[in-house]
Structures are given as C-alpha cells and as structure tokens.
Amino acid sequence: MPKIIQYIVLLILSLVVSVVHADDRMNEPYGSRYLNYSINTMWNINYDLDSNLGWPTSLYPKFIEDVNGDGMAAAVAFGKPGTFVSLSNGDSFVGSTQAINNFGTDQYWDVEKHPRFVVDLNGDGKKDLVGYGMFGVYGAIYSGTSTNPQYSDFKIWLGQFGSEQNSGFYLNSNFIRTFRDMNSDGKSDLVVFADTGIQVALSNGNGFNAPTLWVDNFGTDNTWNNTDYVREIADVNGDGYLDVIGYGLDAVYVSKNNGGSGLSAPERWTSQYSNQNRSGFYKNAAFIRTSGDINGDKKADLVVFADDGVYVAISTGNGFETGTQFPQRKEPELLLD
C-alpha cells in the first residue's frame, strides 16, 4: 500500500475514534470528562449563586483550608453578616456555621479594598482569619473545636497598610498585599509588594512586628505593576525558605531568602516567559505564568499555560532550565514501508 494512502487511512481512523469518544462524553453528567461520575456529587448546598440570596465571588471571597487541623480542608466563606465555615467529614461539607460576626460586608469589608485570607497566624496548626482593613491589618484566632468552628480575639495586628491610610495609598490595583511564612517558623507573615520594594512584617504569634524593607525591588518604583508583571513567592532552591520570583520585562528574576531576615538582590534566572519574550507574546490577560514543584525535588519550577500547551522550566537551584512542553508532545506513529 502506498505511504500516502496509509497516512490517509490512519487519519480517518483517528477522526472516527475522536467522534466516538465525543459522543460518549455527551452523556456524561455536568460535562465531565471522567468515567467516575461520583466526582460530581454535591458536597454542600451553600455558598453558590442561588443559595442564601446568592454568594457572588465579587462580593464574598471563598477559600478551601484546613481550619481545625484535622487534615481535611473546610469551606470558608466571607459573607454578609460575617464569616461562615463548613467542616469536611471526608464525604461532604457539613452545614454552615457563622464562625465570627466579622470580616463580612456588614462590617464594611470590601473585595476591591480589603483582601482577606485564611492562614495560620500563631503556628498552632489551625487556620486563622486575617485581612487588610480600613485602618490596618486585623486578625482573629481559631478557637473552635474539631466539630464546631469558631473564631475569637478579633483585633488589630498591625496599624499599617490599611485602605484608608496614607490617603488611600494601598490599593489592590497598585500593590500586592498578602501573607506567607517568610522565616519558616510556622507562622504566616505580612508581605506587601509596595512602591519602594517588598515590605515584610513577621508574626510574633500575637501581632505583627514592625515592617522592614526586605529588598528594594519588585515594587512600582521599579516599574513592577499588577497589570503587566507576575510576582510569586516560592522556594526556588529547596532550602526551606520562601523566595520571590518575578516575570519581568526582559527576564524572570529571583530574589533568594537570606534565612528569614531579608531577600537578596534580584538575579536573572531565564529570559524565557518574560514580557518581551517572543516579541511581547506573554501577556497576563492571555496566559497564566506561575510556579510549583513539578518534579518533587523541593524546588519551585516555572509553569506557563501558553497557546499550545503547558510549559515547564525546571529549577536547578541557581537558575531555570530551558522550558519544555509538559508532558512532551508525541507525534502519531505511521506504519510506513
């Protein structure tokens, strides 16, 4: 049989197989592409657009975190009168408990102005609530049991970085305000990508220490803005301390953590996936550029959802290898003479 005819036959067979698979999936529930239909079971009747007068994400942030330290992630929703928690029993999220009458829209917490998080502030293995409010950073400690979620001791943890302070200087559109454990003591610390650089305020378990400038880069004064440039916090060299990754204009830069007391000056780790790479191809609005430990060596790698697939650049601890498509694309084998 001529080679061209073999190729045409293989192409037709592949199209037939694709159509058969597509027809099979038409009958799957909720458009699922998996044969295990149980993944579509309802875990909780709350927190969706139709329940309890609606829970739009534009008003009410929601998280999945292990709040009570039992090893199972719970559903946490910052609602209207306060914050609600539904604990997991392994098969579903149980009920909906108002765990504190704060951090809600009734207390003037707004998605556009007041980022809220579910993190461990005091290192006890349970997840607490914390948020950048109008006049500072506020926290509440998990005080519930394994079956009854509750938060208490709501108070101000740091009187800085609030939305109404410095004439409304700290806006979500300009600065990243978040929390990560920067000194590896088990407690989440305050991290702000501000104008002059990265400000960090370490948690002492009962409040945040005075913030200090950990590196004079990655801020708006150095042209890093939320519209064009992605910045990540991850351990790129596997030393147990979180570093900073920035997808910059001409390269991907890394600032290494100096043992929990500061960050080194940024270093160029690769020119791939920068804003200028491929003639300005990588735009935040079109592609996801992030990081994660892909090969299990404890070092964070670059992960890019591009136009034709997912690309990964493995960290060597001192740089990123050339990015490759993950998994590797394989061309169909032809049975040729």
Side-chain angles (χ1 to χ4, degrees), residues 42 45-57 60 62:
M42 180 77 72
I45 62 172
N46 298 289
Y47 315 131
D48 59 76
L49 290 177
D50 296 325
S51 64
N52 309 116
L53 302 179
W55 286 78
T57 303
Y60 309 121
K62 292 152 234 166

Side-chain angles (χ1 to χ4, degrees), residues 35-323:
L35 296 179
N36 182 8
Y37 297 159
S38 66
I39 64 171
N40 296 301
T41 58
M42 180 77 72
W43 271 53
N44 196 280
I45 62 172
N46 298 289
Y47 315 131
D48 59 76
L49 290 177
D50 296 325
S51 64
N52 309 116
L53 302 179
W55 286 78
T57 303
S58 59
L59 294 177
Y60 309 121
K62 292 152 234 166
F63 296 83
I64 302 295
E65 295 285 353
D66 178 9
V67 297
N68 59 1
D70 65 355
M72 294 183 288
V76 182
F78 294 95
K80 186 176 184 295
T83 306
F84 294 78
V85 175
S86 296
L87 296 176
S88 171
N89 61 12
D91 295 309
S92 63
F93 293 121
V94 180
S96 178
T97 301
Q98 185 172 342
I100 189 173
N101 60 344
N102 218 312
F103 293 110
T105 55
D106 282 354
Q107 295 85 35
Y108 305 104
W109 290 85
D110 179 85
V111 168
E112 297 299 324
K113 296 180 180 180
H114 309 126
R116 284 154 284 174
F117 302 85
V118 185
V119 299
D120 187 354
L121 291 174
N122 57 4
D124 65 353
K126 302 179 178 65
K127 295 296 179 67
D128 313 302
L129 305 180
V130 63
Y132 291 87
M134 296 174 65
F135 302 104
V137 182
Y138 295 80
I141 300 298
Y142 188 85
S143 58
T145 65
S146 60
T147 57
N148 182 31
Q150 295 292 328
Y151 289 94
S152 60
D153 196 22
F154 174 84
K155 66 178 182 179
I156 192 165
W157 274 54
L158 184 71
Q160 296 185 47
F161 305 118
S163 63
E164 301 299 320
Q165 295 176 305
N166 297 328
S167 301
F169 180 72
Y170 291 100
L171 300 177
N172 293 359
S173 57
N174 294 331
F175 307 120
I176 298 173
R177 295 176 292 171
T178 186
F179 297 92
R180 299 298 296 272
D181 182 4
M182 299 302 291
N183 61 351
S184 295
D185 66 350
K187 299 186 286 288
S188 291
D189 309 304
L190 176 153
V191 183
V192 176
F193 291 79
D195 51 342
T196 58
I198 300 177
Q199 297 275 351
V200 175
L202 298 176
S203 171
N204 58 35
N206 193 46
F208 292 112
N209 298 336
T212 58
L213 185 67
W214 274 37
V215 66
D216 58 351
N217 213 309
F218 296 106
T220 55
D221 285 356
N222 307 104
T223 72
W224 292 84
N225 62 71
N226 293 345
T227 303
D228 300 316
Y229 304 113
V230 175
R231 285 150 288 173
E232 296 276 329
I233 301 175
D235 183 1
V236 297
N237 58 359
D239 66 352
Y241 290 94
L242 295 175
D243 314 297
V244 171
I245 306 170
Y247 289 84
L249 179 65
D250 58 343
V252 178
Y253 292 87
V254 168
S255 280
K256 295 180 182 178
N257 192 316
N258 297 327
S261 60
L263 292 162
S264 65
E267 304 171 357
R268 292 171 61 103
W269 274 39
T270 182
S271 60
Q272 278 191 295
Y273 313 123
S274 64
N275 282 35
Q276 289 182 342
N277 185 217
R278 292 177 63 184
S279 301
F281 176 77
Y282 291 102
K283 302 293 185 183
N284 290 356
F287 307 112
I288 297 174
R289 295 176 292 173
T290 185
S291 62
D293 181 9
I294 298 301
N295 58 356
D297 64 355
K298 308 301 182 183
K299 296 188 286 287
D301 313 300
L302 299 187
V303 182
V304 177
F305 293 80
D307 51 343
D308 59 345
V310 180
Y311 285 80
V312 172
I314 298 296
S315 171
T316 65
N318 292 296
F320 294 114
E321 297 178 355
T322 301

